[in-house]
Structures are given as C-alpha cells and as structure tokens.
C-alpha cells in the first residue's frame, strides 16, 4: 500500500483529500463538527436536518482504505464506533485530478472488513494487531485473490461528490493528520512526518498537529 508519509507530495495529497471530503460534505448540505471527547481527528459528526451521523473520514491515494484491529483483537479501531465511513479517493493513482467522495454505511463496512479479515486469517495470513487491514474500494469482490473478499464498496455506493484537487485552495496549516490510517506504515516518526509536511506547506513544524490514536 502507498506510504502516505513517504514524501512531502504524498503528505500534501493526504491533507488535500481530507479537506476535499470536508468540502464535499458541506456542499451536500451537511453541517460538520468535531465529536467531543473522541480524541480522533478523523471522526466527525455530520448533521442534515434531523439526520445525524458519526463518521470516520478516510483518505486513499491507492484507492484502498484501512482500519486496524484494537489490542485484544476483538474489534476494529474507529470503524466500530461510527455510523458511516466517508472515503475520499483519488480518481487516478498516477495522475490524480479529483477526489471522489463516498458515503458508506457503517454496518456494511464492518461486514466487509470482518469478512476480509476472516478470509485472510483462514488463508494463513498474519495480521498484526494495530496494523491496518486494507480493502479496495473499487476492485470487484472475489474469493481469489483473498484480499478482494469484501472489496468494492465504492462501486456499490458511487461518489456523491467529485472535488478538484487544488491544493492551494484546499490546504491550510491548521489541518490535522490522523495517525489511525498510518498504523499501516512503517519507519516514519511523528517528528519526521511533521517536518515533511511543514516543508511541503511552507510553514513552521510547530504549526502542524498530528493526532495519534491510542
């Protein structure tokens, strides 16, 4: 999977995708707010009239999203706590121009991740607790290869918005990076991620906030 902290460009794109998801929700009539006490920067409450949902915003530069298992391996971190998943994916992995924004039901995403997790364990895969399990949004679901079990949520629920990836319009120094997805990555410290993002955005590293979920 793409190391989203592998270069300043990838960090910038991750922040742009998150901002695109926020913009798409607001343009679709949702009021977006933080969830008090959650401690997770990817989690938001979205409200439209009487409809209210707690969502996790996930970004992807390779068109797959990830959630990690919690300690004890009995549930999913963040996924088990939300009503829906907002997935912000690039339209093209090699030359992204737009962010495709999907609203995916939480119950269905839990089912898809449970099925892929069980299938991978049955196939003898080792999945460390705390490391992200990646699932393709757009691959056709199949039993072979095993990692396509549960895939295809982005096909079933097409994007409700397509947002141009204009970094200068979308990115501000106050955007936060949620380390929940970064559990899948190796070899990069928080300090290094902040340094790379600061270089990309032209700001002081002290102005960059990275939230690490416990």
């Amino acid at each position: 999977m793409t190391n989203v902290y592998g270069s300043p460009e990838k960090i910038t794109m991750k922040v742009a995708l998150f901002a695109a998801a926020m913009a798409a929700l607001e343009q679709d009539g949702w009021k977006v707010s933080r969830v008090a006490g959650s401690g997770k920067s990817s989690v938001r409450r979205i409200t439209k009239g009487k409809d209210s949902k707690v969502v996790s915003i996930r970004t992807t530069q390779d068109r797959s999203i990830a959630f990690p298992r919690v300690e004890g391996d009995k549930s999913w971190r963040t996924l088990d706590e939300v009503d829906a998943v907002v997935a912000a994916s690039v339209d093209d992995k090699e030359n992204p121009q737009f962010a495709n924004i999907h609203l995916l039901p939480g119950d269905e995403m839990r089912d898809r991740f449970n099925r892929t997790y069980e299938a991978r364990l049955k196939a003898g895969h080792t999945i460390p607790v705390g490391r992200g399990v990646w699932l393709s949004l757009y691959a056709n679901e199949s039993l072979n290869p095993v990692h396509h079990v549960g895939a295809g949520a982005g096909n079933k629920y097409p994007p409700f918005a397509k947002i141009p990836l204009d970094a200068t319009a979308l990115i501000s120094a106050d955007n936060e990076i949620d380390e929940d997805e970064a559990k899948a990555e190796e070899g990069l410290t928080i300090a290094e991620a902040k340094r790379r993002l600061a270089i990309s955005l032209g700001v002081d590293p002290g102005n960059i906030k990275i939230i690490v979920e416990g």
Side-chain angles (χ1 to χ4, degrees):
M1 293 299 141
T2 299
N3 182 350
V4 296
Y5 298 108
S7 69
E9 292 77 17
K10 291 186 182 299
I11 298 172
T12 300
M13 179 60 69
K14 178 177 176 60
V15 176
L17 286 167
F18 190 94
M22 296 282 284
L25 289 165
E26 291 172 352
Q27 291 173 17
D28 197 46
W30 295 97
K31 179 182 177 181
V32 184
S33 60
R34 291 185 178 273
V35 178
S38 76
K40 298 178 181 179
S41 64
S42 73
V43 175
R44 295 290 191 276
R45 179 173 295 280
I46 60 173
T47 306
K48 184 192 294 185
K50 295 183 178 180
D51 192 4
S52 178
K53 307 177 191 293
V54 175
V55 302
S56 174
I57 300 175
R58 318 304 284 186
T59 65
T60 173
Q61 298 177 47
D62 58 14
R63 295 156 67 86
S64 296
I65 62 173
F67 285 97
R69 302 287 288 179
V70 301
E71 294 298 329
D73 199 20
K74 294 182 179 179
S75 60
W76 296 97
R77 179 181 292 121
T78 306
L79 178 58
D80 282 347
E81 304 165 21
V82 298
D83 304 309
V85 175
V86 176
S89 171
V90 295
D91 59 335
D92 183 272
K93 289 192 289 186
E94 303 302 325
N95 185 31
Q97 300 295 316
F98 293 89
N100 290 326
I101 314 299
H102 303 262
L103 183 60
L104 310 170
D107 285 344
E108 176 154 347
M109 294 310 294
R110 282 183 282 274
D111 175 69
R112 287 176 180 269
F113 271 88
N114 285 335
R115 287 192 287 110
T116 199
Y117 186 65
E118 292 167 3
R120 295 179 200 196
L121 290 180
K122 186 176 180 179
H125 292 202
T126 299
I127 305 174
V129 171
R131 186 66 51 81
V133 175
W134 294 87
L135 191 58
S136 172
L137 289 171
Y138 305 112
N140 293 322
E141 181 166 8
S142 65
L143 297 177
N144 186 22
V146 69
H147 61 265
H148 282 177
V149 173
N155 298 328
K156 182 175 179 180
Y157 299 94
F160 70 87
K162 190 173 182 178
I163 304 294
L165 285 169
D166 182 348
T168 59
L170 289 173
I171 298 175
S172 74
D174 289 333
N175 278 320
E176 296 176 352
I177 295 176
D178 193 320
E179 194 71 0
D180 194 32
E181 291 171 284
K183 297 292 185 180
E185 314 296 347
E186 294 182 347
L188 186 67
T189 66
I190 298 297
E192 177 65 9
K194 291 174 69 175
R195 185 187 70 82
R196 294 182 187 181
L197 184 55
I199 292 171
S200 179
L201 297 178
V203 300
D204 189 278
N207 292 332
I208 303 295
K209 295 183 290 183
I210 295 181
I211 305 300
V212 180
E213 297 184 2

